[in-house]
Amino acid sequence: RVKRKGVDTSVTTKPQMTSTGIHDIGGLEEEFGPIDLREHGYQLWEMQVHATLVLLSQQGLLTTDELRRSVEALPGHTSMTYYHRWAAGMTAICIERGTFSAADLNLAHGEPEKMIGQQSLVVGQVVRVRREDSRVRWRKPHLRTPGYLFGAVGVVERFLGCFPNPEEKAFSSNQEPGTQPLYLVAFKNKDLWEGMEMHGEDGITAEIYQPWLDIIDEKNEANEDTKVVRDIKVVSSKVDHGDHVHDTRYETEAEALRRETVHDDPIGKKTGEVLLKVLLEKKVLDINKIQEVVEKMDSTGKMLLGQQLVVRAWTDPEFKQRLLDDGNAAAEELGMVASNANAPTKFLVMENTLSTHHLIVCTLCSCYPSSILGMAPSWYKSRSYRARAIREPRKVLLEFGLILPKEMSLVVHDSTADCRYMVLPKRPKGTEGWGEKELMGIVTRDCLLGVAVPRQK
């Protein structure tokens, strides 16, 4: 049963657990052990690869959705480190666009149909996420709807605006992509996971595009198949597509976890260096611009602009309300650009209260408010965190040393599309007379992601 903001509707089925590809790992916590909370510093080549994405995007030579699509389709996806995949994906897109060559590559899956949509859903409306046929998931184009939500029933919490259709943007075209309305939809954990003990009010929000949402018809709801079983296990047989074979999910996820423990990646380093060398030789990029972006990313992580936003919100109630209403505009008041450099993004700030705690994750890749928080920590990008945070969030928080009261609701925000999230933590008691510097000292990056809370030192 879903009950949110006065809406109450019976749910007679459990959504079918499917996957859009090897990157879509939300809810597969059985495949993983504890999250590695150790911090791993970034090597120069990794930061240069990140800078390359920023500059290519700014020049209109690559979109974030193109990179996602390319990375998700890499034959060696699970055997590569994070920035190795970025470097290989960007290389493929550059070749595809003709940045390195005059030859254009045929699109394997064809151009998605151009769609222009207008808002048709309202806040409070009960909706069901459309189901996906998992048998053809390897042939699907780039999707931004995570498989663990296929068939799930939720409630529209917020209209986020209209954005270019990512399923169309993922394939380079001379035509402007159509736009689609994007909504923040809330789901109850107990309605998502079969056979799991869930806190009654714990939930998840995800950004879902309008074509993936169906309005619930209460008259036909009773006719839904009640025998659908949500099962996160994947059959042990391999997936044969004639010209290539995919390993089982268990094998590929286990290999991915093993690879994540190895930080050195000479092949990825070489891939990134060759990509940059070609772009410099073609005069597509300038080495000085690369260095500028690298230095900015490094300093952003040290300045932690999110601290400033939190302290201002704690001391200025009117600013706090503006921050919650429109994060981008509020950040701009302080001279900050909250949208990520490589793609326009909406900055959403979620306020922790006495009754609700918020947690941020991206199950499909690792979407992160880098313009505000700097480079993402390694644990945030790990497959363990991405898989487990939406299924057993309280156990995940326990590994970070955070225990929430049983009466407190926990809402997980899955950053699946064009939004980036930050948590506005609750100001601790006893800090009323503190100055700005003292307050900033207790606001950590982990607090802004929801895996920690500010504590008096």
PDB file of all heavy atoms in Angstrom, residues 51-75:
ATOM      1  N   ALA A  51      38.645  16.071 -16.872  1.00  0.00           N
ATOM      2  CA  ALA A  51      38.738  17.391 -17.496  1.00  0.00           C
ATOM      3  C   ALA A  51      38.437  17.314 -18.994  1.00  0.00           C
ATOM      4  O   ALA A  51      37.832  18.230 -19.566  1.00  0.00           O
ATOM      5  CB  ALA A  51      40.131  17.975 -17.269  1.00  0.00           C
ATOM      6  N   THR A  52      38.848  16.230 -19.629  1.00  0.00           N
ATOM      7  CA  THR A  52      38.571  16.044 -21.054  1.00  0.00           C
ATOM      8  C   THR A  52      37.075  15.989 -21.310  1.00  0.00           C
ATOM      9  O   THR A  52      36.559  16.592 -22.264  1.00  0.00           O
ATOM     10  CB  THR A  52      39.246  14.755 -21.566  1.00  0.00           C
ATOM     11  OG1 THR A  52      40.667  14.866 -21.406  1.00  0.00           O
ATOM     12  CG2 THR A  52      38.923  14.514 -23.033  1.00  0.00           C
ATOM     13  N   LEU A  53      36.342  15.273 -20.454  1.00  0.00           N
ATOM     14  CA  LEU A  53      34.891  15.223 -20.584  1.00  0.00           C
ATOM     15  C   LEU A  53      34.289  16.621 -20.475  1.00  0.00           C
ATOM     16  O   LEU A  53      33.427  17.005 -21.269  1.00  0.00           O
ATOM     17  CB  LEU A  53      34.297  14.318 -19.508  1.00  0.00           C
ATOM     18  CG  LEU A  53      32.770  14.381 -19.357  1.00  0.00           C
ATOM     19  CD1 LEU A  53      32.081  13.892 -20.626  1.00  0.00           C
ATOM     20  CD2 LEU A  53      32.302  13.591 -18.151  1.00  0.00           C
ATOM     21  N   VAL A  54      34.748  17.392 -19.495  1.00  0.00           N
ATOM     22  CA  VAL A  54      34.219  18.737 -19.286  1.00  0.00           C
ATOM     23  C   VAL A  54      34.423  19.594 -20.530  1.00  0.00           C
ATOM     24  O   VAL A  54      33.493  20.249 -21.028  1.00  0.00           O
ATOM     25  CB  VAL A  54      34.884  19.396 -18.062  1.00  0.00           C
ATOM     26  CG1 VAL A  54      34.514  20.877 -17.976  1.00  0.00           C
ATOM     27  CG2 VAL A  54      34.464  18.680 -16.778  1.00  0.00           C
ATOM     28  N   LEU A  55      35.619  19.593 -21.064  1.00  0.00           N
ATOM     29  CA  LEU A  55      35.944  20.467 -22.192  1.00  0.00           C
ATOM     30  C   LEU A  55      35.259  20.010 -23.486  1.00  0.00           C
ATOM     31  O   LEU A  55      34.785  20.840 -24.270  1.00  0.00           O
ATOM     32  CB  LEU A  55      37.453  20.542 -22.379  1.00  0.00           C
ATOM     33  CG  LEU A  55      38.213  21.241 -21.231  1.00  0.00           C
ATOM     34  CD1 LEU A  55      39.711  21.167 -21.448  1.00  0.00           C
ATOM     35  CD2 LEU A  55      37.767  22.698 -21.110  1.00  0.00           C
ATOM     36  N   LEU A  56      35.220  18.701 -23.733  1.00  0.00           N
ATOM     37  CA  LEU A  56      34.527  18.217 -24.923  1.00  0.00           C
ATOM     38  C   LEU A  56      33.041  18.559 -24.859  1.00  0.00           C
ATOM     39  O   LEU A  56      32.425  18.924 -25.868  1.00  0.00           O
ATOM     40  CB  LEU A  56      34.719  16.702 -25.068  1.00  0.00           C
ATOM     41  CG  LEU A  56      36.099  16.220 -25.512  1.00  0.00           C
ATOM     42  CD1 LEU A  56      36.144  14.697 -25.555  1.00  0.00           C
ATOM     43  CD2 LEU A  56      36.482  16.789 -26.872  1.00  0.00           C
ATOM     44  N   SER A  57      32.465  18.452 -23.657  1.00  0.00           N
ATOM     45  CA  SER A  57      31.046  18.788 -23.492  1.00  0.00           C
ATOM     46  C   SER A  57      30.808  20.262 -23.743  1.00  0.00           C
ATOM     47  O   SER A  57      29.841  20.649 -24.416  1.00  0.00           O
ATOM     48  CB  SER A  57      30.579  18.405 -22.088  1.00  0.00           C
ATOM     49  OG  SER A  57      30.727  17.024 -21.852  1.00  0.00           O
ATOM     50  N   GLN A  58      31.674  21.103 -23.196  1.00  0.00           N
ATOM     51  CA  GLN A  58      31.519  22.540 -23.359  1.00  0.00           C
ATOM     52  C   GLN A  58      31.664  22.969 -24.814  1.00  0.00           C
ATOM     53  O   GLN A  58      31.067  23.962 -25.235  1.00  0.00           O
ATOM     54  CB  GLN A  58      32.543  23.267 -22.490  1.00  0.00           C
ATOM     55  CG  GLN A  58      32.257  23.150 -20.995  1.00  0.00           C
ATOM     56  CD  GLN A  58      33.317  23.821 -20.139  1.00  0.00           C
ATOM     57  OE1 GLN A  58      34.384  24.210 -20.621  1.00  0.00           O
ATOM     58  NE2 GLN A  58      33.023  23.963 -18.847  1.00  0.00           N
ATOM     59  N   GLN A  59      32.433  22.216 -25.596  1.00  0.00           N
ATOM     60  CA  GLN A  59      32.603  22.540 -27.012  1.00  0.00           C
ATOM     61  C   GLN A  59      31.531  21.890 -27.882  1.00  0.00           C
ATOM     62  O   GLN A  59      31.551  22.045 -29.110  1.00  0.00           O
ATOM     63  CB  GLN A  59      33.990  22.083 -27.489  1.00  0.00           C
ATOM     64  CG  GLN A  59      35.138  22.844 -26.844  1.00  0.00           C
ATOM     65  CD  GLN A  59      36.484  22.448 -27.436  1.00  0.00           C
ATOM     66  OE1 GLN A  59      36.603  22.237 -28.643  1.00  0.00           O
ATOM     67  NE2 GLN A  59      37.499  22.351 -26.597  1.00  0.00           N
ATOM     68  N   GLY A  60      30.605  21.157 -27.266  1.00  0.00           N
ATOM     69  CA  GLY A  60      29.555  20.520 -28.029  1.00  0.00           C
ATOM     70  C   GLY A  60      29.999  19.292 -28.801  1.00  0.00           C
ATOM     71  O   GLY A  60      29.334  18.863 -29.745  1.00  0.00           O
ATOM     72  N   LEU A  61      31.121  18.703 -28.407  1.00  0.00           N
ATOM     73  CA  LEU A  61      31.654  17.530 -29.099  1.00  0.00           C
ATOM     74  C   LEU A  61      31.258  16.219 -28.442  1.00  0.00           C
ATOM     75  O   LEU A  61      31.603  15.144 -28.937  1.00  0.00           O
ATOM     76  CB  LEU A  61      33.188  17.628 -29.176  1.00  0.00           C
ATOM     77  CG  LEU A  61      33.731  18.818 -29.968  1.00  0.00           C
ATOM     78  CD1 LEU A  61      35.251  18.875 -29.881  1.00  0.00           C
ATOM     79  CD2 LEU A  61      33.284  18.724 -31.426  1.00  0.00           C
ATOM     80  N   LEU A  62      30.533  16.300 -27.317  1.00  0.00           N
ATOM     81  CA  LEU A  62      30.146  15.102 -26.590  1.00  0.00           C
ATOM     82  C   LEU A  62      29.110  15.501 -25.542  1.00  0.00           C
ATOM     83  O   LEU A  62      29.190  16.599 -24.983  1.00  0.00           O
ATOM     84  CB  LEU A  62      31.378  14.465 -25.933  1.00  0.00           C
ATOM     85  CG  LEU A  62      31.225  13.195 -25.103  1.00  0.00           C
ATOM     86  CD1 LEU A  62      32.478  12.334 -25.255  1.00  0.00           C
ATOM     87  CD2 LEU A  62      31.031  13.533 -23.632  1.00  0.00           C
ATOM     88  N   THR A  63      28.146  14.637 -25.300  1.00  0.00           N
ATOM     89  CA  THR A  63      27.192  14.880 -24.215  1.00  0.00           C
ATOM     90  C   THR A  63      27.382  13.821 -23.135  1.00  0.00           C
ATOM     91  O   THR A  63      27.894  12.723 -23.401  1.00  0.00           O
ATOM     92  CB  THR A  63      25.734  14.838 -24.698  1.00  0.00           C
ATOM     93  OG1 THR A  63      25.389  13.485 -25.051  1.00  0.00           O
ATOM     94  CG2 THR A  63      25.525  15.752 -25.881  1.00  0.00           C
ATOM     95  N   THR A  64      26.944  14.157 -21.931  1.00  0.00           N
ATOM     96  CA  THR A  64      27.037  13.193 -20.839  1.00  0.00           C
ATOM     97  C   THR A  64      26.255  11.933 -21.153  1.00  0.00           C
ATOM     98  O   THR A  64      26.686  10.819 -20.843  1.00  0.00           O
ATOM     99  CB  THR A  64      26.516  13.819 -19.533  1.00  0.00           C
ATOM    100  OG1 THR A  64      27.307  14.973 -19.220  1.00  0.00           O
ATOM    101  CG2 THR A  64      26.607  12.836 -18.379  1.00  0.00           C
ATOM    102  N   ASP A  65      25.099  12.086 -21.788  1.00  0.00           N
ATOM    103  CA  ASP A  65      24.290  10.913 -22.126  1.00  0.00           C
ATOM    104  C   ASP A  65      24.967  10.048 -23.187  1.00  0.00           C
ATOM    105  O   ASP A  65      24.835   8.823 -23.166  1.00  0.00           O
ATOM    106  CB  ASP A  65      22.907  11.352 -22.594  1.00  0.00           C
ATOM    107  CG  ASP A  65      22.040  11.828 -21.443  1.00  0.00           C
ATOM    108  OD1 ASP A  65      21.745  11.009 -20.559  1.00  0.00           O
ATOM    109  OD2 ASP A  65      21.669  13.005 -21.421  1.00  0.00           O
ATOM    110  N   GLU A  66      25.692  10.667 -24.109  1.00  0.00           N
ATOM    111  CA  GLU A  66      26.465   9.881 -25.069  1.00  0.00           C
ATOM    112  C   GLU A  66      27.529   9.057 -24.354  1.00  0.00           C
ATOM    113  O   GLU A  66      27.729   7.874 -24.664  1.00  0.00           O
ATOM    114  CB  GLU A  66      27.136  10.811 -26.078  1.00  0.00           C
ATOM    115  CG  GLU A  66      26.259  11.279 -27.209  1.00  0.00           C
ATOM    116  CD  GLU A  66      27.028  12.131 -28.199  1.00  0.00           C
ATOM    117  OE1 GLU A  66      27.597  13.157 -27.795  1.00  0.00           O
ATOM    118  OE2 GLU A  66      27.050  11.765 -29.388  1.00  0.00           O
ATOM    119  N   LEU A  67      28.211   9.692 -23.408  1.00  0.00           N
ATOM    120  CA  LEU A  67      29.249   8.972 -22.661  1.00  0.00           C
ATOM    121  C   LEU A  67      28.645   7.811 -21.885  1.00  0.00           C
ATOM    122  O   LEU A  67      29.198   6.707 -21.885  1.00  0.00           O
ATOM    123  CB  LEU A  67      29.967   9.927 -21.704  1.00  0.00           C
ATOM    124  CG  LEU A  67      31.032   9.264 -20.825  1.00  0.00           C
ATOM    125  CD1 LEU A  67      32.151   8.684 -21.668  1.00  0.00           C
ATOM    126  CD2 LEU A  67      31.577  10.241 -19.801  1.00  0.00           C
ATOM    127  N   ARG A  68      27.514   8.068 -21.226  1.00  0.00           N
ATOM    128  CA  ARG A  68      26.863   6.985 -20.475  1.00  0.00           C
ATOM    129  C   ARG A  68      26.531   5.815 -21.394  1.00  0.00           C
ATOM    130  O   ARG A  68      26.797   4.649 -21.082  1.00  0.00           O
ATOM    131  CB  ARG A  68      25.579   7.503 -19.836  1.00  0.00           C
ATOM    132  CG  ARG A  68      25.791   8.440 -18.652  1.00  0.00           C
ATOM    133  CD  ARG A  68      24.491   9.124 -18.287  1.00  0.00           C
ATOM    134  NE  ARG A  68      24.592   9.917 -17.069  1.00  0.00           N
ATOM    135  CZ  ARG A  68      23.716  10.835 -16.704  1.00  0.00           C
ATOM    136  NH1 ARG A  68      22.669  11.075 -17.493  1.00  0.00           N
ATOM    137  NH2 ARG A  68      23.850  11.495 -15.581  1.00  0.00           N
ATOM    138  N   ARG A  69      25.926   6.135 -22.526  1.00  0.00           N
ATOM    139  CA  ARG A  69      25.558   5.077 -23.465  1.00  0.00           C
ATOM    140  C   ARG A  69      26.788   4.293 -23.931  1.00  0.00           C
ATOM    141  O   ARG A  69      26.779   3.063 -23.994  1.00  0.00           O
ATOM    142  CB  ARG A  69      24.832   5.706 -24.650  1.00  0.00           C
ATOM    143  CG  ARG A  69      24.305   4.702 -25.666  1.00  0.00           C
ATOM    144  CD  ARG A  69      25.168   4.642 -26.915  1.00  0.00           C
ATOM    145  NE  ARG A  69      25.238   5.920 -27.581  1.00  0.00           N
ATOM    146  CZ  ARG A  69      25.943   6.128 -28.692  1.00  0.00           C
ATOM    147  NH1 ARG A  69      26.638   5.147 -29.220  1.00  0.00           N
ATOM    148  NH2 ARG A  69      25.992   7.319 -29.253  1.00  0.00           N
ATOM    149  N   SER A  70      27.857   4.999 -24.226  1.00  0.00           N
ATOM    150  CA  SER A  70      29.067   4.345 -24.702  1.00  0.00           C
ATOM    151  C   SER A  70      29.688   3.467 -23.622  1.00  0.00           C
ATOM    152  O   SER A  70      30.089   2.330 -23.883  1.00  0.00           O
ATOM    153  CB  SER A  70      30.077   5.408 -25.156  1.00  0.00           C
ATOM    154  OG  SER A  70      31.254   4.811 -25.628  1.00  0.00           O
ATOM    155  N   VAL A  71      29.739   3.994 -22.395  1.00  0.00           N
ATOM    156  CA  VAL A  71      30.324   3.229 -21.288  1.00  0.00           C
ATOM    157  C   VAL A  71      29.508   1.983 -20.997  1.00  0.00           C
ATOM    158  O   VAL A  71      30.048   0.895 -20.766  1.00  0.00           O
ATOM    159  CB  VAL A  71      30.433   4.120 -20.033  1.00  0.00           C
ATOM    160  CG1 VAL A  71      30.719   3.288 -18.791  1.00  0.00           C
ATOM    161  CG2 VAL A  71      31.529   5.166 -20.214  1.00  0.00           C
ATOM    162  N   GLU A  72      28.174   2.135 -21.018  1.00  0.00           N
ATOM    163  CA  GLU A  72      27.305   1.003 -20.718  1.00  0.00           C
ATOM    164  C   GLU A  72      27.440  -0.110 -21.748  1.00  0.00           C
ATOM    165  O   GLU A  72      27.161  -1.275 -21.451  1.00  0.00           O
ATOM    166  CB  GLU A  72      25.852   1.485 -20.664  1.00  0.00           C
ATOM    167  CG  GLU A  72      25.562   2.387 -19.463  1.00  0.00           C
ATOM    168  CD  GLU A  72      24.337   3.263 -19.658  1.00  0.00           C
ATOM    169  OE1 GLU A  72      23.601   3.026 -20.636  1.00  0.00           O
ATOM    170  OE2 GLU A  72      24.118   4.179 -18.840  1.00  0.00           O
ATOM    171  N   ALA A  73      27.877   0.230 -22.967  1.00  0.00           N
ATOM    172  CA  ALA A  73      27.976  -0.755 -24.044  1.00  0.00           C
ATOM    173  C   ALA A  73      29.374  -1.342 -24.205  1.00  0.00           C
ATOM    174  O   ALA A  73      29.585  -2.188 -25.062  1.00  0.00           O
ATOM    175  CB  ALA A  73      27.544  -0.107 -25.363  1.00  0.00           C
ATOM    176  N   LEU A  74      30.324  -0.902 -23.384  1.00  0.00           N
ATOM    177  CA  LEU A  74      31.693  -1.387 -23.533  1.00  0.00           C
ATOM    178  C   LEU A  74      31.756  -2.893 -23.302  1.00  0.00           C
ATOM    179  O   LEU A  74      31.271  -3.397 -22.289  1.00  0.00           O
ATOM    180  CB  LEU A  74      32.620  -0.685 -22.542  1.00  0.00           C
ATOM    181  CG  LEU A  74      32.951   0.774 -22.835  1.00  0.00           C
ATOM    182  CD1 LEU A  74      33.724   1.382 -21.668  1.00  0.00           C
ATOM    183  CD2 LEU A  74      33.766   0.903 -24.117  1.00  0.00           C
ATOM    184  N   PRO A  75      32.384  -3.655 -24.207  1.00  0.00           N
ATOM    185  CA  PRO A  75      32.495  -5.107 -24.021  1.00  0.00           C
ATOM    186  C   PRO A  75      33.222  -5.476 -22.732  1.00  0.00           C
ATOM    187  O   PRO A  75      32.912  -6.472 -22.096  1.00  0.00           O
ATOM    188  CB  PRO A  75      33.282  -5.551 -25.261  1.00  0.00           C
ATOM    189  CG  PRO A  75      33.037  -4.483 -26.270  1.00  0.00           C
ATOM    190  CD  PRO A  75      32.943  -3.210 -25.486  1.00  0.00           C
TER     191      PRO A  75
END
